[in-house]
Amino acid sequence: MTDFIFLIPLMPLVGFTILFCTLGNLPKPWVAFVGVGSIGTSALIVALLGVEFLSTKDHAPILVHLYTWMNLGGFQPGFSFYVDGLTLTMMFVITGVGLLIHIYSSLFMQDDEDYSRFFSYMNLFVAAMLVLVLADNLLLLFLGWEGVGLCSYLLVGFWYQDPANGVAARKAFIVTRIGDTFMALGLFLLYMHLGTLDIQAMVDKAALTWVTGDTTVTLACLLLVGGAVGKSAQLPLQTWLPDAMAGPTPVSALIHAATMVTAGVYLIARTHELFLLSPVALNVVAIIGATTLLMAAFTALTQSDIKRILAYSTISQIGYMFLALGVGAWASGIFHLMTHAFFKALLFLAAGAVIYSLHHEHNIFKMGGLRARLPVAFWSFLIGSAALAALPFTSGFYSKDAILLSAWQSGPLGPGLWAAGLLGALLTAVYSFRLVFIVFFGEVKTVPDKPAGWLMAGPLVILCGLSLVGGWFIIPVSQVFPAAADVSHDGLIPIITPAIPILGVVLAWLIFLRRSVDVSGLTESTWGKALTHFWFSHWKMDWLYDHLFVKPYSFITYLNRRDIVDWFYNALAEVLWFVHDIAATSQTGQLRTYAVVMLFGVVTLIGIFIGVRLT
Amino acid sequence: MTEAVTIPMEHGLLLAGILFLIGLLGVLVRRNIILILMSLEIMLNACGLAFIVVGAHWGIADGQVMFMLILAIAAAEVSVGLGLLLQVYRRIGTLDIDAASRMRG
């Protein structure tokens, strides 16, 4: 299958080209065929490639060099694809989950006028994402990185007729661009010191160039982390993701839950040899992860928009992945990436089914008692939330458990990180089952009258299965990452870790369903209200950035509204206009004036001529 | 052959000069475009006369060659000038050259 690797990103690109060039003139069934078929072909190739790769004994990486992109003074980034266990896992998630989401979208977006535009962007996204994970050098990775950023912008602002969606799209684009700038600087720094951006050659050279803890490698790693936090919506650049929910729900499922937002995790995992040289950068990653997962979990607890709850939960879960990377549990981080892709895509698609049936109703307090009316969505939500909360024997349990146990054993910071992760797990269980209990139990508030078809139910059922059994998958990354330290199973830790989510579910049950624990006294108190509001606004991050960056910037632009630089050029133009006005008075428009002036001139010239000859 | 009556060169040049000034004055003071064109013709012919006179005085053919050239130029000038004149009339509605002063300032 090695010869067909280039087809994996090419097929979605071809799909994009067809849909883009036909300008929406294709009939909808054809659009769906092209849009879903291209991803399906890629998924098939990935599956066959996976079978072939796993049947080899040593899981040797495959390198496919297509052509040299450019050749500038020894700098030769190529269109080269590098396939190892990590790439394969990512491709499996992207094409597998991507295919299910595309199938789901073919029905979900049925009534949309821009059906073709939607699928063309989605295909372009999948192509860019596949380039990102297949790239063997950081420049090609950056190409895919920017490509997915572009598609995210296009799809968040998909319903551009509403200006608010355009604002959300621009916010997503600009905030991630800040991270991308850091990443580009990181690439420059790495190239300056190592002379190559080829990942495998780079890490080999890095180990020879730098000793562990070198300042330069720490700086380079921190710059890469800057790019990763932007793309993966981690502190301090996480503010764009909740607003990105303005896009269609399948977009949120594919881009803002399963694939693109995990690109930062992939980047750090891919360059983990660099990070191993810099313990400081690793600690930063772990602390960012732990802080973000707690902040986002608290915020998710107070939200009322079904998609925003899931968005904050995504930020929180990526926080777990960062935590895993930071404590060196690379395989656990990638494992959680995969299981998260399953259950979060499931949750988003189920939320989409609810929203679809209720005619774009997002507020969970206007839903209720949907259990009997929307059984597929209910079971999907239940299974997805169980996996999200890491209840035992669901997929999320295995990945989150591994992360928390690794965190516990990771040096001096370990217990703190473990405690943060555990508190996060408790909150995760509470907010995810708060959502389930409010939306699907209790009294019926809105009656759904638009049942979802099997094209939507099918992917949900498959993702339910994956969310349940995904924990038993073994991802083939043992050759990619250094072996993790053996997680010891002594003491109370392995018992506490899985018990906490169950406690959270019980808590949610008591508060939101049985209502036997009344928390209104707590939330209605002055402090409770203030805290709820503080959490609801995501720790006032938007407010802070607004006052820290947007307002001062607007003030500076206000001061400079006449553009100081232009003053000089405007003055120059003024002088020229003045001279022009003087000269223009000689232009009378009278033929005889011109004739007289001409005569005068000729006489003068002849006079001078004669005068010169005579003397 | 009887001795040809020769006209002194000075007389010829003086006549040419007077004709040239008459034409120039016509260009300057007239407002009717047709008369301005006619005045221009007078100026051209005054030049031609000067060439002939000088050529005859020096006994070379160059003066006559130049006159032929001036004739050709005058013909071209008149055709172009009349074309312009028609356009001016069509656009401004009058033959008064002072009315065609839209390019001032």
Side-chain angles (χ1 to χ4, degrees), chain A residues 265-311:
Chain A
V265 179
Y266 171 78
L267 174 71
I268 295 176
R270 178 50 86 201
T271 54
H272 68 279
E273 280 110 326
L274 287 179
F275 281 83
L276 284 174
L277 292 173
S278 168
V280 179
L282 272 181
N283 281 339
V284 169
V285 171
I287 292 167
I288 285 177
T291 319
T292 315
L293 82 86
L294 276 181
M295 283 177 71
F298 276 116
T299 309
L301 211 51
T302 56
Q303 296 295 316
S304 60
D305 182 322
I306 187 167
K307 283 183 74 181
R308 284 181 87 89
I309 296 175
L310 294 177

Side-chain angles (χ1 to χ4, degrees), chain B residues 37-80:
Chain B
L37 272 179
M38 286 166 67
S39 305
L40 276 173
E41 286 303 310
I42 293 173
M43 287 168 76
L44 277 169
N45 283 310
C47 293
L49 181 63
F51 274 117
I52 298 281
V53 169
V54 175
H57 176 73
W58 283 333
I60 52 175
D62 289 10
Q64 291 171 36
V65 171
M66 282 308 287
F67 182 65
M68 299 305 286
L69 183 67
I70 287 171
L71 270 186
I73 290 173
E77 178 253 321
V78 164
S79 61
V80 173

Side-chain angles (χ1 to χ4, degrees), chain A residues 584 587-592 594-596 599, chain B residues 24 28 30-31 97-98 100-101 103-105:
Chain A
Q587 202 172 356
T588 59
Q590 297 282 327
L591 183 70
R592 69 174 57 83
Y594 301 154
V596 168
L599 176 71
Chain B
L24 185 63
L28 291 184
R30 283 290 170 185
R31 290 169 63 181
I97 193 66
D98 286 354
S101 62
M103 290 285 281
R104 74 171 167 274

Side-chain angles (χ1 to χ4, degrees), chain A residues 68 111 190 208 238 264 312 401 431 439 485 491 495 523 529 614:
Chain A
T68 305
D111 299 332
L190 284 172
L208 299 174
Q238 80 276 47
Y312 283 112
D401 200 40
Y431 72 67
V439 173
I495 303 168
T523 51
K529 259 188 177 167
L614 288 180

